[in-house]
Amino acid sequence: MMTLKVNGQDHQIDADPDTPLLYVLRDDLKLNAAKFGCGLGQCGACTVIVDGKAVFSCVTPLVLLEGKQVTTLEGLGSVAAPAPIQRAFMEEQAAQCGYCIAGMMMRAQALLQRNSKPTDDEVRAELAPHLCRCGTHMRILRAVHRAARLMDTAELTPERKGSAQ
Amino acid sequence: MNSPVMLDRRSVLVGAGALIVSFSLTPGFAQHQDVPSPTPPASPPGSLKISPYLDSWIRIDADDSVTVFTGKAELGQGFKTAFQQIAAEELDVPFASLAVVTADTGRTANEGYTAGSHSMQDSGTAIQNAAAQARALLVGEAAKRFDLPAESLRTENGAVIAPDGRRLGYGELVVSDLLHVQAQPKSQLKDPATFKVMGQSIPRVDIPGKVTGGEAYVQDMRLPGMVHARVVRPPSYGAQLIDCDTSAVEKMPGVVKVVRDGNFLAVVAAKEFQSIKAMNALSAAAKWQENVRLPKQDDLASVVTSLPSQDSVIFQRSDPSAVAQKTLEATYTRPYQSHGSIGPSCAVAHLADGKMTVWTHTQGVYPDRQAIAQMLRMPQDAMRLIHTEGSGCYGHNGADDAAADAALIARAMPGTPVRVQWMREQEHAWEPYGPAMVTKLKASLEAGGKIADWNFEVWSNTHSMRPGGAGCLLAAQHMAQAFAVPPAKPLPLPEGGGDRNAIPLYTFPNAHIVHHFIPDMPLRISAMRSLGAYHNVFSIESFMDELAGLAGADPVEFRLKHLDDQRGRDVIAKAAEGFGWRAGERPPPGRGFGFAFARYKNLAAYCAVASEVEINRETGRARLVRAVAAVDSGQVVNPDGLTNQVEGAIVQSMSWTLYESVSFDDKRITSIDWQTYPILRFDAVPDRIDVHIINRPGQPFLGSGETGQGPAAASLANAIAHATGKRLRDLPLTRKRIKDAIDA
């Protein structure tokens, strides 16, 4: 049994220490956003934020996460109260099948938390570990830039739900 | 819905022919439509032909709620939103008040496969006409109740309104079996000039859930008591399981069951990661005898052209007055390529009280049900397949197989829902690939620089080994009482398979086009987005540029010189204009411009693509800098949805064209993940893609999901040739091939 902090809440997890975080999130915590794509750290569909950094949850064992803060897409916002990154992806219609999108958004979120105004080259370089097969790349890039602008605006307004840690 | 029908409403139906009323007491879903009834004189449009009852498309309940049913499956194309727009428009109900139910053998019409860019043409047309006819019936019913002529009434916001302001909601009007009637051949469709919902870029209904972690995919299903299964596939095609001691695996934590049926091997565990550990242990315990000999990968062109083939001339035209002066010949090749869905295939199956339910991202719930029922030797009506979204599929991937796996395992565990998730390497190694193809072209120019004769030969497997029969399913091939793979069949023209788009839309005085259909399939293959059109258009449009070069003509002008089809000419002109194409313009150093055009299947959407490419002469690396497309898909329902499809087609086709080929040794597939099967990454994404839509109000919907694949590939290849001065004819146009060509 170990304690895992996900989206600000402590959870008691009964799983082998070598269990990748992905399966703890999906199987034990019933969270949908982090996706199984390859299990090899090659596609990015499983990406979540751990202590502010984007990580592949499919190759991150539970044992490494003691005392760390895990944020998933669910922790950013909801349909009713979307975080800037979520609003941006909705407004740009930046999905086709959408399977890769949650992972993309988490890496973009981590980027924007440390660099609020990334250049286009910085966004492309940051998203390099992520694959999209539908060819939605142009929209994804636009959505990340839009999210940066939305976050910029959001900082000027009172406390808004949606930033990871 | 089941009270006696009122026959006097036949007067309200528009169009010719008698109103056919069914006295069936069952809802008008497809599987119940074998009620004997006279056939209408002319068939109604779209999929209304196969499922003519209006209430198999549109249901209106007493509480005013409206449900639209489609037999097509949402695969990430966004048509669910487009269908909702169509129904809202023709019914005059608010967009948000509608619900759309997609492919489900228990609820929707049998529209076969969601494939070939048919959804808008077949299902969209059916929904549009069913909605229009339903609205006419509602108006007729209201006319009777108001005692006013139907012509004096109007509809708005889900109600029929009389000139004096009286209002009857659709829910109040739909009594008994009002909509349980067969569609008429003709509908009174709205004037496109009055459209309020169609033609608008309404945001997709599924995106909010997908960007907030909602339950959106079959992978996200969690039924009470559900267990997790993993399959252990053979190491190569046709391998025999000769020994497997399962005892140690059975004692592993969480393991519920090991299922072995001939060469079919699977393990079931309570938790997902337990099932993966058990799969690895089971895989290590399994001893296989490998039998297959795969062809030589580096010699695919001669392998493909030397296999036995059934040859047919699919097009012939002669005009001896055209005199050939200069002749050109070329051979183009395409390797096996993967669909490469980001999410490997997944399915959930549940056998309860003798009934099997399978949730699957198959493209065809009905044909897949038929195949799985045959495999399990169960009656089809004891089985229900419900389409549940998966990762984007782009054709026949592992979806049907995963559904069969889940059903086979669930049969061994009655009462327990079973979720099967394929691993990455299983999807890559076992999905049916887009077939390798070879085309040989030969053409001559006459003195004036026009094409005098055109010879085109294409060698290809079929492009569909989709189920229908159990033998197309891996599990059925592997089980002890195995089903044989059925013989391959060519897909008939005009749509075609290997010969899809083999007949150019251009007019040539002499033309001879041959399809060499190859029945033997050394690798497992089936339908991949645009089928043979990808390679045929790549070949034709590359060759058109080679001929334009020979004629000393501008590629765009050269195409227009041979094209009579006005809508084709319009998209060419639009793409050229949007790109800023100027004849003879020299590109910046290291760059090249390319152009290509096709009408998908010669009967669906028109698409032209202009590209600018940048070549690193040191490394051979090619990058698409920008692309400008023009598309005509008839009446546009959701412009942004169409743009999204065409953008995606260009980007995906670029990835196929620059990077992708399935690799294998003499026994095994060796491209089994994203390292060994690299695809496009963000560092090679274009600076911009512009899609110009030519809307054709009131014209039929033309399928557009695949129209970009061929033109994007050829446009890119032509730009590379323009930049390097070297013509590459073997796909993919890799960095090494470009570098070798530059250095040659």
Side-chain angles (χ1 to χ4, degrees):
Chain A
M1 208 56 111
M2 92 165 236
T3 305
L4 184 70
K5 202 178 193 72
V6 178
N7 298 331
Q9 276 195 309
D10 285 339
H11 299 273
Q12 296 304 308
I13 306 295
D14 181 16
D16 287 347
D18 64 343
T19 306
L21 174 61
L22 174 67
Y23 299 105
V24 175
L25 296 173
R26 294 191 61 86
D27 213 1
D28 295 87
L29 302 183
K30 320 287 183 215
L31 294 170
N32 297 316
K35 293 282 186 275
F36 171 70
C38 64
L40 305 161
Q42 295 176 350
C43 77
C46 65
T47 301
V48 298
I49 294 176
V50 177
D51 285 354
K53 287 192 180 130
V55 304
F56 297 132
S57 68
C58 74
V59 289
T60 306
L62 187 58
V63 68
L64 296 181
L65 296 165
E66 187 89 61
K68 302 201 189 260
Q69 306 218 29
V70 178
T71 307
T72 71
L73 188 61
E74 288 92 341
L76 299 186
S78 61
V79 174
I85 188 87
Q86 292 166 322
R87 243 185 79 192
F89 273 71
M90 291 183 211
E91 287 169 2
E92 291 291 346
Q93 292 287 289
Q96 283 192 30
C97 82
Y99 196 87
C100 69
I101 292 296
M104 299 263 187
M105 292 170 75
M106 294 315 284
R107 187 168 303 272
Q109 174 75 18
L111 169 68
L112 296 177
Q113 281 173 203
R114 63 171 198 274
N115 176 1
S116 62
K117 285 177 188 150
T119 63
D120 195 48
D121 283 346
E122 285 170 334
V123 174
R124 286 168 185 252
E126 186 70 18
L127 292 178
H130 290 255
L131 296 175
C132 165
R133 190 53 163 165
C134 296
T136 321
H137 302 70
M138 307 310 295
R139 287 162 185 256
I140 293 166
L141 291 171
R142 283 204 296 273
V144 176
H145 289 297
R146 181 185 281 260
R149 293 195 300 275
L150 288 173
M151 283 179 181
D152 209 26
T153 322
E155 273 165 20
L156 304 173
T157 57
E159 182 60 19
R160 195 192 149 84
K161 196 188 169 205
S163 67
Q165 300 116 45
Chain B
M1 297 284 285
N2 291 336
S3 50
V5 288
M6 297 182 299
L7 294 173
D8 58 352
R9 68 179 180 272
R10 67 178 65 200
S11 58
V12 306
L13 265 182
V14 291
L19 169 64
I20 309 300
V21 180
S22 164
F23 293 89
S24 153
L25 293 181
T26 54
F29 300 138
Q31 65 272 37
H32 299 297
Q33 283 176 3
D34 47 357
V35 181
S37 58
T39 313
S43 58
S47 289
L48 285 169
K49 279 183 207 55
I50 52 157
S51 192
Y53 285 88
L54 298 185
D55 64 353
S56 52
W57 302 94
I58 310 274
R59 197 179 73 205
I60 299 172
D61 289 317
D63 64 357
D64 286 332
S65 63
V66 182
T67 313
V68 177
F69 297 87
T70 170
K72 299 289 185 185
E74 173 66 60
L75 311 170
Q77 331 89 310
F79 76 59
K80 202 168 168 179
T81 306
F83 288 174
Q84 195 166 329
Q85 287 177 260
I86 293 170
E89 185 69 66
E90 291 293 350
L91 271 173
D92 262 333
V93 298
F95 173 81
S97 72
L98 281 161
V100 178
V101 171
T102 58
D104 176 344
T105 60
R107 304 179 75 187
T108 68
N110 179 359
E111 291 193 84
Y113 282 103
T114 302
S117 298
H118 271 276
S119 296
M120 291 301 291
Q121 289 176 209
D122 296 353
S123 210
T125 301
I127 290 166
Q128 185 182 24
N129 283 276
Q133 294 189 21
R135 181 174 156 276
L137 285 169
L138 291 160
V139 169
E141 176 68 19
K144 204 171 48 151
R145 299 212 202 155
F146 287 138
D147 197 19
L148 287 167
E151 302 73 46
S152 70
L153 307 177
R154 64 188 175 90
T155 53
E156 190 181 277
N157 265 335
V160 183
I161 298 159
D164 60 11
R166 279 182 299 162
R167 190 179 180 284
L168 277 168
Y170 288 174
E172 296 171 76
L173 287 166
V174 169
V175 287
S176 72
D177 282 347
L178 184 74
L179 301 183
H180 190 52
V181 294
Q182 289 199 23
Q184 296 299 301
K186 282 204 162 35
S187 319
Q188 224 151 36
L189 298 176
K190 281 196 179 169
D191 175 355
T194 67
F195 284 169
K196 296 190 194 73
V197 194
M198 274 169 72
Q200 303 297 313
S201 288
I202 290 187
R204 267 174 48 175
V205 293
D206 55 332
I207 288 182
K210 287 175 176 176
V211 300
T212 52
E215 184 185 317
Y217 306 93
V218 67
Q219 284 90 344
D220 301 332
M221 285 184 64
R222 295 178 189 86
L223 297 181
M226 186 178 83
V227 291
H228 294 272
R230 287 294 183 282
V231 178
V232 174
R233 288 272 178 244
S236 54
Y237 297 137
Q240 300 290 312
L241 183 59
I242 47 178
D243 185 34
C244 189
D245 181 356
T246 61
S247 55
V249 174
E250 279 160 7
K251 293 189 198 88
M252 287 178 72
V255 169
V256 183
K257 197 176 187 68
V258 172
V259 178
R260 182 178 170 181
D261 186 345
N263 297 312
F264 182 86
L265 193 56
V267 61
V268 185
K271 293 180 76 174
E272 186 158 18
F273 191 59
Q274 292 170 335
S275 73
I276 294 173
K277 283 180 156 180
M279 171 194 73
N280 290 334
L282 191 60
S283 179
K287 309 245 178 319
W288 302 88
Q289 184 189 319
E290 298 183 63
N291 308 307
V292 77
R293 283 206 72 81
L294 297 180
K296 285 230 175 302
Q297 194 201 327
D298 5 350
D299 196 19
L300 264 189
S302 52
V303 169
V304 168
T305 49
S306 59
L307 286 167
S309 65
Q310 298 163 12
D311 307 335
S312 48
V313 176
I314 57 170
F315 187 82
Q316 175 73 42
R317 177 185 287 148
S318 315
D319 176 359
S321 71
V323 181
Q325 295 263 330
K326 292 188 261 186
T327 300
L328 211 57
E329 281 184 70
T331 300
Y332 298 84
T333 67
R334 175 212 179 170
Y336 293 98
Q337 293 179 316
S338 287
H339 301 84
S341 299
I342 299 300
S345 296
C346 181
V348 176
H350 188 199
L351 178 65
D353 308 322
K355 303 263 185 194
M356 178 76 79
T357 307
V358 185
W359 290 265
T360 163
H361 52 107
T362 177
Q363 289 175 272
V365 286
Y366 281 93
D368 204 24
R369 178 177 72 166
Q370 185 191 331
I372 295 173
Q374 190 188 3
M375 175 182 84
L376 299 181
R377 294 166 171 93
M378 270 177 88
Q380 283 194 59
D381 56 13
M383 186 175 294
R384 178 179 178 190
L385 261 66
I386 302 172
H387 182 267
T388 313
E389 273 191 70
S391 179
C393 76
Y394 331 108
H396 179 192
N397 63 5
D400 300 320
D401 299 307
D405 293 343
L408 188 56
I409 299 165
R411 184 177 67 171
M413 307 186 69
T416 304
V418 175
R419 176 182 181 273
V420 172
Q421 168 72 66
W422 279 22
M423 304 304 286
R424 166 51 49 205
E425 58 276 18
Q426 294 174 333
E427 187 76 33
H428 259 89
W430 284 96
E431 67 148 281
Y433 306 118
M437 291 171 68
V438 175
T439 44
K440 287 184 195 280
L441 287 83
K442 183 178 176 187
S444 306
L445 298 176
E446 54 183 16
K450 281 188 78 172
I451 292 170
D453 58 63
W454 176 274
N455 291 277
F456 183 97
E457 293 182 75
V458 55
W459 284 258
S460 177
N461 279 144
T462 182
H463 284 250
S464 177
M465 288 300 290
R466 294 181 187 277
C472 291
L473 300 168
L474 287 178
Q477 293 165 15
H478 294 163
M479 64 201 293
Q481 278 188 286
F483 289 82
V485 178
K489 286 190 210 128
L491 300 168
L493 287 166
E495 303 213 349
D499 53 355
R500 180 167 291 184
N501 277 88
I503 303 169
L505 204 59
Y506 303 110
T507 309
F508 304 133
N510 295 284
H512 182 73
I513 298 166
V514 181
H515 178 207
H516 303 275
F517 166 69
I518 304 167
D520 293 353
M521 294 167 286
L523 269 68
R524 184 171 196 238
I525 55 92
S526 192
M528 182 156 147
R529 193 175 186 181
S530 84
L531 312 191
Y534 167 66
H535 184 65
N536 290 328
V537 172
F538 164 72
S539 308
I540 292 169
E541 289 294 298
S542 292
F543 201 56
M544 283 297 279
D545 258 39
E546 296 198 53
L547 290 164
L550 187 67
D554 173 70
V556 171
E557 286 167 14
F558 189 71
R559 284 174 172 78
L560 290 173
K561 220 162 140 176
H562 293 92
L563 187 64
D564 301 325
D565 187 307
Q566 190 54 48
R567 288 172 76 171
R569 297 178 66 87
D570 290 349
V571 295
I572 289 175
K574 190 80 182 173
E577 179 202 328
F579 186 81
W581 186 277
R582 280 186 295 276
E585 189 188 1
R586 292 187 65 79
R591 297 207 172 183
F593 305 134
F595 199 92
F597 157 80
R599 181 185 191 188
Y600 185 49
K601 299 187 278 189
N602 293 339
L603 50 75
Y606 296 82
C607 184
V609 180
S611 300
E612 178 171 347
V613 75
E614 177 182 63
I615 304 286
N616 181 327
R617 295 186 70 88
E618 294 304 308
T619 63
R621 180 181 189 267
R623 186 175 81 92
L624 179 64
V625 177
R626 66 184 180 111
V628 176
V631 62
D632 172 355
S633 64
Q635 167 73 54
V636 178
V637 176
N638 187 315
D640 187 63
L642 175 58
T643 301
N644 200 354
Q645 282 295 295
V646 176
E647 275 177 17
I650 291 170
V651 172
Q652 187 179 69
S653 179
M654 172 189 40
S655 181
W656 294 357
T657 303
L658 293 181
Y659 312 118
E660 300 185 24
S661 55
V662 171
S663 62
F664 43 91
D665 59 23
D666 60 349
K667 282 202 288 286
R668 298 181 179 184
I669 303 296
T670 53
S671 49
I672 52 168
D673 59 16
W674 300 118
Q675 301 280 9
T676 47
Y677 190 88
I679 64 170
L680 170 76
R681 286 192 182 268
F682 267 95
D683 57 352
V685 166
D687 294 349
R688 62 179 299 163
I689 296 177
D690 297 310
V691 177
H692 299 277
I693 295 171
I694 300 179
N695 188 22
R696 302 286 185 187
Q699 290 293 314
F701 306 133
L702 299 178
S704 49
E706 300 161 289
T707 191
Q709 306 303 121
S715 171
L716 182 55
N718 289 336
I720 291 171
H722 191 225
T724 61
K726 302 292 171 72
R727 174 61 57 177
L728 281 88
R729 302 186 184 89
D730 298 309
L731 292 168
L733 315 178
T734 58
R735 177 194 300 233
K736 181 171 186 312
R737 282 177 171 159
I738 294 172
K739 173 75 175 145
D740 288 350
I742 290 171
D743 293 345

